[in-house]
Amino acid sequence: MSGRALLVWNWARTRTVAQVAIDGLMWAVALSFATAARYDFAGGRIDKAGLLATIPLAVVLQLGAGLTFGLYAGRWRFGSFEEVAALAKAAGLATVALFAFNLSVRPQPIPRSAALGAGFAALVLMAGARYLWRLQLERMRRPTEHDSTRLLVFGAGEGGAQVITAMLRDPDSPYFPVGLLDDDPRKRNLRINGVSVVGGRRQLEETAQRLKADALLIAIPSADSELVAELTDLAAEVDLNVKILPSVRDLFGGAAGVADIRDIDVKDFLGRHQIETDMDAIAGYLTAKRVLVTGAGGSIGSELCRQISRFGPAELIMLDCNEAGLHAVELSLEGRAMLDNDAVVLADIRDTEGMNHLFEQRKPEVVFHAAALKHLPLLERTPGEAVKTNVWGTLTVLEAAAAHGVERFVNISTDKAADPSSVLGYTKRIAERLTAHFAAVQGQWFLSVRFGNVLGSSGSVLTTFRAQLQAGGPLTVTDPEVTRYFMTVEEAVELVIQAGAIGRPGEVLVLDMGEPVRIADVALRLASQAERTTRVVYTGLRPGEKLHEVLLGAGEADVRPIHKMISHVPAPALCPLEARTMDPREPAEAVIKALQALCADHDESVSPPPPSH
């Protein structure tokens, strides 16, 4: 037996002996007290011999009952509710057996009432002893205030209770909770493991100074970006370092612990949205289906693959022309990336023959089309490439999907398609209209989903800012007043999948991304948190770039019939023949004019048949 195994065995044996000894002692005390109480503590009336004979019997009965219910087998955490439940069963069985034995003996060793009363008293004493033991163990495990960061915790709900309990049970915890803050007046008298609620956010400054706090923990996993930003600003006024718990989504339903506490991130200011998901509706169209994701190696595509895999598709086909992207997404899903199975497909959506062969061989039933070129300045210079990928590539995938009976097609669009002013916006608007055409012709759920900037995606402003900070700055912003919509990739994709469940053929579903954010404010906040002085430089708007993006174009109404964060907008259909008339080899100005002409919202007037089920 190894040294560690021997140590564990010795502790288990010691714990069992201690439990049996404590329980035996409690039975002795309970029987003595119950018998003395029966005779009004008149010692001369007590049958001392009978009592002394009954105590060992009660101990043996408790031991037998405890072994029967696993009380002494070390199955449960000491002093836990499960152990107390087993203790109650064992004490009850021992009491019944003792009472029956006492009745069967003449003369009775102890009064009948004493046998019953002793059982209840023994249960209370044994449970109390366990509580005191557990309390002492927890106190021994507590971190010391002098070696830990003194933490003020905002949020006295479930998240706050879990993380405070975790901190106080970990002797190596780097944090020590000194007080709780909560805006709910009903919690003003609440104490969690000895940590009291001392006020709300308005008392943050006074409380931080009085309790000598070093940091503030936002312990509300469902906190939105507005609350995070406000508390961070309040904490900055009293020089508190701000920590935060992950969102509910990131906790995956588990309990919050010390390891979950992390530094505040700019994503927390911009992308924490409370999203309600109809899991049954999603599972209804993804579970046991063959699902294809184009652009699977990109930020949106890879997150789509991760979330779709949770719903048990019959097959998940991940397509991309980027080997590194396919390697990364398989690694995130499987924990290995051999690229040697049929789930990953190296292919280009521009390849008409290849796409048709893929659809014929694999027969996908649901398609998420995320493949696209998206970098605005580059596409302004090379609009012909945008035509080949974003227009013709999308058309190729749409035609293959229509020809091979795809049931549901979700085209990933962008807010730049609303009143487009750039090559990216024009090509994405045309893709929305082409999708609407196939919805009308096929009568299937072919639809588009439109949203704004995704935090942390390749080429996003946040990724750029981080790279600039690592290089020593400055941070570049096009205009002091430029605004954009932001959402984390996890939140955006969750709504995309939800939209695929509730969208109707030909619609564009527009995701509510909250209030637009000034890019300059993001840059200034990041600059203020940088370790060294960092400037913010304004470079001017680039060709095709808007000062303010919009999610809905002119004439598009904000109608949300099903989900409070998803608007339904009809898209005018566009005949594929018109999209094929463009010549990407022409000069950039001519290609852009052709794209602008195709974005005009004239409808080809195709009446959609009812969607098949």
Side-chain angles (χ1 to χ4, degrees):
M1 184 180 293
S2 68
R4 179 177 175 81
L6 183 62
L7 184 64
V8 171
W9 183 79
N10 282 334
W11 160 245
R13 186 176 64 172
T14 302
R15 170 180 162 173
T16 300
V17 171
Q19 284 179 291
V20 172
I22 289 172
D23 291 350
L25 178 61
M26 295 304 104
W27 264 103
V29 171
L31 278 168
S32 300
F33 179 82
T35 303
R38 168 65 180 80
Y39 294 117
D40 297 325
F41 300 97
R45 299 173 60 189
I46 299 175
D47 181 359
K48 295 181 178 61
L51 175 61
L52 291 175
T54 304
I55 289 174
L57 175 63
V59 173
V60 170
L61 290 173
Q62 173 65 32
L63 176 61
L67 292 172
T68 301
F69 293 107
L71 182 61
Y72 304 120
R75 293 181 184 175
W76 303 288
R77 194 157 150 259
F78 198 72
S80 65
F81 288 115
E82 293 86 353
E83 187 184 41
V84 172
L87 178 65
K89 293 176 185 177
L93 180 59
T95 301
V96 170
L98 181 64
F99 183 76
F101 174 80
N102 193 58
L103 281 178
S104 65
V105 177
R106 292 290 183 273
Q108 292 179 359
I110 59 174
R112 286 173 292 178
S113 60
L116 294 175
F120 177 76
L123 174 60
V124 172
L125 290 171
M126 289 186 292
R130 281 165 169 76
Y131 172 76
L132 292 174
W133 189 344
R134 177 173 174 177
L135 193 62
Q136 184 60 31
L137 288 175
E138 290 182 354
R139 285 178 177 171
M140 292 171 58
R141 287 197 294 262
R142 284 194 173 201
T144 60
E145 296 185 49
H146 304 295
D147 300 331
S148 307
T149 299
R150 294 174 63 83
L151 203 61
L152 198 58
V153 180
F154 185 89
E158 188 63 26
Q162 289 175 359
V163 77
I164 285 175
T165 301
M167 282 188 278
L168 294 179
R169 287 179 177 171
D170 183 0
D172 298 321
S173 170
Y175 308 107
F176 186 86
V178 294
L180 271 163
L181 295 173
D182 200 290
D183 290 332
D184 188 348
R186 295 171 298 179
K187 296 179 180 177
R188 289 301 158 83
N189 297 318
L190 181 65
R191 290 170 64 89
I192 299 175
N193 285 346
V195 182
S196 302
V197 175
V198 291
R201 77 183 74 181
R202 293 182 180 179
Q203 287 76 42
L204 191 151
E205 180 177 356
E206 179 270 328
T207 302
Q209 293 173 348
R210 177 168 55 85
L211 298 178
K212 297 182 175 144
D214 303 311
L216 173 71
L217 170 65
I218 303 174
I220 306 176
S222 60
D224 58 25
S225 53
E226 290 79 10
L227 176 59
V228 173
E230 181 182 352
L231 290 174
T232 302
D233 292 338
L234 289 172
E237 295 177 6
V238 287
D239 199 26
L240 287 180
N241 187 16
V242 181
K243 306 288 183 179
I244 198 168
L245 287 181
S247 65
V248 175
R249 175 183 298 100
D250 296 331
L251 286 173
F252 294 108
V258 177
D260 294 310
I261 299 174
R262 60 172 174 80
D263 290 328
I264 204 82
D265 188 271
V266 70
K267 285 185 179 182
D268 299 309
F269 301 115
L270 305 177
R272 293 172 71 101
H273 300 78
Q274 296 186 37
I275 295 174
E276 297 175 3
T277 305
D278 185 349
M279 306 299 282
D280 291 337
I282 291 174
Y285 82 95
L286 290 179
T287 301
K289 299 287 187 178
R290 295 182 298 277
V291 183
L292 167 67
V293 178
T294 72
S299 305
I300 298 295
S302 60
E303 182 60 26
L304 272 168
C305 293
R306 283 187 285 272
Q307 293 200 27
I308 290 169
S309 66
R310 294 162 41 200
F311 294 96
E315 184 179 15
L316 177 57
I317 308 163
M318 300 176 286
L319 181 149
D320 207 297
C321 62
N322 184 326
E323 294 173 283
L326 287 174
H327 181 276
V329 69
E330 186 184 27
L331 184 62
S332 70
L333 282 173
E334 305 293 339
R336 57 186 291 278
M338 303 302 292
L339 300 178
D340 58 355
N341 64 77
D342 291 338
V344 290
V345 176
L346 183 64
D348 194 329
I349 61 170
R350 294 181 177 188
D351 180 2
T352 302
E353 183 178 347
M355 285 299 101
N356 275 302
H357 179 73
L358 173 71
F359 275 77
E360 182 179 356
Q361 293 297 313
R362 307 296 288 273
K363 295 180 171 54
E365 298 165 276
V366 179
V367 174
F368 288 90
H369 176 52
L373 298 175
K374 66 174 187 177
H375 291 283
L376 189 147
L378 192 58
L379 298 185
E380 290 296 316
R381 294 175 48 233
T382 56
E385 294 304 308
V387 169
K388 293 176 187 177
T389 296
N390 294 359
V391 178
W392 290 355
T394 297
L395 185 52
T396 294
V397 180
L398 281 166
E399 289 172 337
H404 296 91
V406 166
E407 300 171 3
R408 196 175 301 256
F409 186 103
V410 181
N411 169 52
I412 307 300
S413 190
T414 169
D415 58 353
K416 292 175 175 57
D419 294 336
S421 62
S422 62
V423 169
L424 175 58
Y426 298 141
T427 56
K428 283 295 192 176
R429 178 56 178 169
I430 292 169
E432 290 179 355
R433 299 190 59 197
L434 290 171
T435 303
H437 164 86
F438 282 90
V441 172
Q442 294 296 117
Q444 294 284 19
W445 272 265
F446 281 50
L447 52 100
S448 299
V449 180
R450 182 193 298 170
F451 51 92
N453 293 270
V454 172
L455 289 168
S457 62
S458 60
S460 73
V461 65
L462 186 55
T463 304
T464 301
F465 283 162
R466 283 173 173 163
Q468 290 175 333
L469 282 173
Q470 289 178 355
L475 303 182
T476 57
V477 179
T478 55
D479 188 280
E481 299 303 319
V482 68
T483 63
R484 293 293 181 265
Y485 291 95
F486 288 101
M487 185 174 279
T488 66
V489 64
E490 296 84 3
E491 292 163 338
V493 166
E494 189 170 329
L495 281 175
V496 166
I497 296 175
Q498 178 71 66
I502 66 176
R504 292 167 292 209
E507 287 184 330
V508 177
L509 287 92
V510 185
L511 308 187
D512 182 345
M513 305 193 67
E515 295 298 319
V517 177
R518 288 177 71 244
I519 301 298
D521 291 342
V522 178
L524 291 169
R525 186 181 290 276
L526 285 173
S528 68
Q529 295 175 345
E531 294 181 357
R532 52 187 169 182
T533 303
T534 304
R535 294 183 302 125
V536 176
V537 176
Y538 300 100
T539 59
L541 290 174
R542 298 168 295 188
E545 191 171 29
K546 297 177 184 177
L547 188 63
H548 305 293
E549 294 287 3
V550 294
L551 291 168
L552 297 168
E556 292 182 338
D558 187 357
V559 179
R560 309 184 186 197
I562 300 175
H563 195 287
K564 66 180 181 181
M565 293 187 70
I566 302 176
S567 303
H568 294 238
V569 176
L574 176 68
C575 178
L577 294 177
E578 295 188 54
R580 293 288 190 191
T581 60
M582 289 185 293
D583 186 352
R585 298 168 299 180
E586 289 188 344
E589 295 79 2
V591 175
I592 291 174
K593 285 183 179 179
L595 289 170
Q596 290 172 332
L598 289 179
C599 282
D601 286 349
H602 61 280
D603 197 323
E604 63 183 40
S605 299
V606 177
S607 298
S612 59
H613 293 275

